[in-house]
Amino acid sequence: MGGSRPSPPPPPTIVYSPAPPPPAPPTAVPTQSVTTQTALNEVSGKQTRLNMELGAQLDRTNADFFAGQDIRRSQAASSEQRLTQKQAGDIETGLTRVRGQEERAGIAATGAEYRAGLSTAGQEERRTIGTTGTETRATERVRGTEQRLGIAATGTEQRRGIAASGVEQRAGIAATGTEQRRGIAASGVEQRAGIRETGSETRLTEAERGRQQRLGIAATGTEQRAGIRETGGQQRLTQGQLLSGQERQIGLRGQEERRTVVASGVEQRAGIRETGSEQRFTALQQEMFRRYKENRDFEQAQSQYRS
């Protein structure tokens, strides 16, 4: 029960004034009828006083009984009210605790999903950066190779131009020598023989030089064609690697997006199930409390009716 209540004041005591004294007997000569009437009057007075005392006692007893009945009724009503308030407070406290637990669980799940998303995004970004760096370095290597091949081809062409210029110069010199030999033909057989020997050696030298130039030109053409084939192969390989890297990146991004969608669906369905369970549990508690209150009110009504 709750705290002590002050006891109600005692019922008022009814104090009746005493009956008036009987009248003085008459001075007349007593007779038998007077004596009888006097005795009857005395008995009647005593009976009246006794009835009055019993009535007062009954009034006090009834007052005590009904005062105790009111006190017990008030105490029972206060006890029921305190019990109802305690149960309502316990139910509200439980609901508040469960609500707080659910909110904290939701916040923790949201934080975990957010951190997982950041981790996945960081991994994907690092992979993308790594792939970009690999592709950039491969492109720079191919560009350097092509530049070196271009420089080599330029040097080859320059050397071919210099060689052709030397051939032309030597051809001019040979023509000049021929004209000189014709001019000095009359100088003697020895001079002509010497000149013929010189021309023969010169022609042999020029023939060897021409053969070497042709071999160099053929080798240059072969190298150029090989360089063109290698350049085309490297370009195709670079494009293939680039397309393969893009396809892998697109595939990985699609996989990550699908996994994210699946994880989001799982979390949403779990949240919906948990919310439905909490709502059903709350409705069940409310229904149980309603039935308890109806039963308690019915029992109180019966108790008051019986009392």
Side-chain angles (χ1 to χ4, degrees), residues 120-136 240-259:
T120 303
Q123 291 176 359
E124 292 299 320
E125 185 175 1
R126 288 191 294 274
R127 290 175 181 174
T128 302
I129 292 173
T131 303
T132 303
T134 301
E135 295 297 326
T136 302
Q241 290 178 348
L242 180 60
L243 290 175
S244 177
Q246 290 177 350
E247 290 176 353
R248 285 196 301 272
Q249 186 176 0
I250 292 171
L252 290 174
R253 186 178 295 111
Q255 290 178 359
E256 292 299 325
E257 289 178 354
R258 287 191 295 274
R259 290 176 181 173

Side-chain angles (χ1 to χ4, degrees), residues 73-107:
R73 186 181 296 109
S74 299
Q75 289 176 349
S78 299
S79 298
E80 291 297 328
Q81 185 177 5
R82 288 192 297 273
L83 179 61
T84 302
Q85 292 177 353
K86 182 178 182 299
Q87 289 180 344
D90 292 340
I91 292 174
E92 183 64 25
T93 301
L95 291 176
T96 302
R97 185 184 303 109
V98 172
R99 191 179 297 111
Q101 291 175 354
E102 292 300 320
E103 289 179 355
R104 289 192 295 274
I107 293 172

Side-chain angles (χ1 to χ4, degrees), residues 3 18 34 41 72 95 114 175 183 211 274 285 302:
V34 173
N41 289 334
R72 288 190 295 272
L95 291 176
Y114 181 72
R211 188 176 69 83
E274 187 66 22
Q285 285 185 334
Q302 283 185 337

Side-chain angles (χ1 to χ4, degrees), residues 88-270:
D90 292 340
I91 292 174
E92 183 64 25
T93 301
L95 291 176
T96 302
R97 185 184 303 109
V98 172
R99 191 179 297 111
Q101 291 175 354
E102 292 300 320
E103 289 179 355
R104 289 192 295 274
I107 293 172
T110 301
E113 291 298 325
Y114 181 72
R115 290 190 295 273
L118 289 179
S119 177
T120 303
Q123 291 176 359
E124 292 299 320
E125 185 175 1
R126 288 191 294 274
R127 290 175 181 174
T128 302
I129 292 173
T131 303
T132 303
T134 301
E135 295 297 326
T136 302
R137 289 191 295 274
T139 303
E140 291 297 327
R141 284 196 298 272
V142 172
R143 184 180 293 111
T145 302
E146 294 299 323
Q147 288 178 353
R148 288 191 295 274
L149 291 175
I151 293 171
T154 301
T156 301
E157 293 297 326
Q158 288 178 353
R159 288 192 296 274
R160 289 177 60 188
I162 293 172
S165 177
V167 170
E168 294 296 327
Q169 288 179 357
R170 288 189 293 274
I173 293 172
T176 300
T178 302
E179 293 298 327
Q180 288 177 354
R181 285 192 299 274
R182 291 176 180 175
I184 60 174
S187 297
V189 176
E190 294 298 330
Q191 288 181 352
R192 286 195 296 274
I195 291 170
R196 282 195 298 271
E197 185 65 24
T198 301
S200 177
E201 292 298 327
T202 301
R203 285 190 295 274
L204 289 174
T205 302
E206 293 296 329
E208 182 63 23
R209 186 177 292 110
R211 188 176 69 83
Q212 294 296 328
Q213 288 177 353
R214 287 190 296 275
L215 290 175
I217 292 169
T220 300
T222 300
E223 292 297 326
Q224 287 179 348
R225 289 189 295 274
I228 292 171
R229 285 194 300 272
E230 182 65 22
T231 299
Q234 291 297 327
Q235 288 178 351
R236 288 190 298 273
L237 180 60
T238 300
Q239 291 177 354
Q241 290 178 348
L242 180 60
L243 290 175
S244 177
Q246 290 177 350
E247 290 176 353
R248 285 196 301 272
Q249 186 176 0
I250 292 171
L252 290 174
R253 186 178 295 111
Q255 290 178 359
E256 292 299 325
E257 289 178 354
R258 287 191 295 274
R259 290 176 181 173
T260 302
V261 170
V262 170
S264 177
V266 170
E267 292 297 327
Q268 288 178 354
R269 289 191 294 274

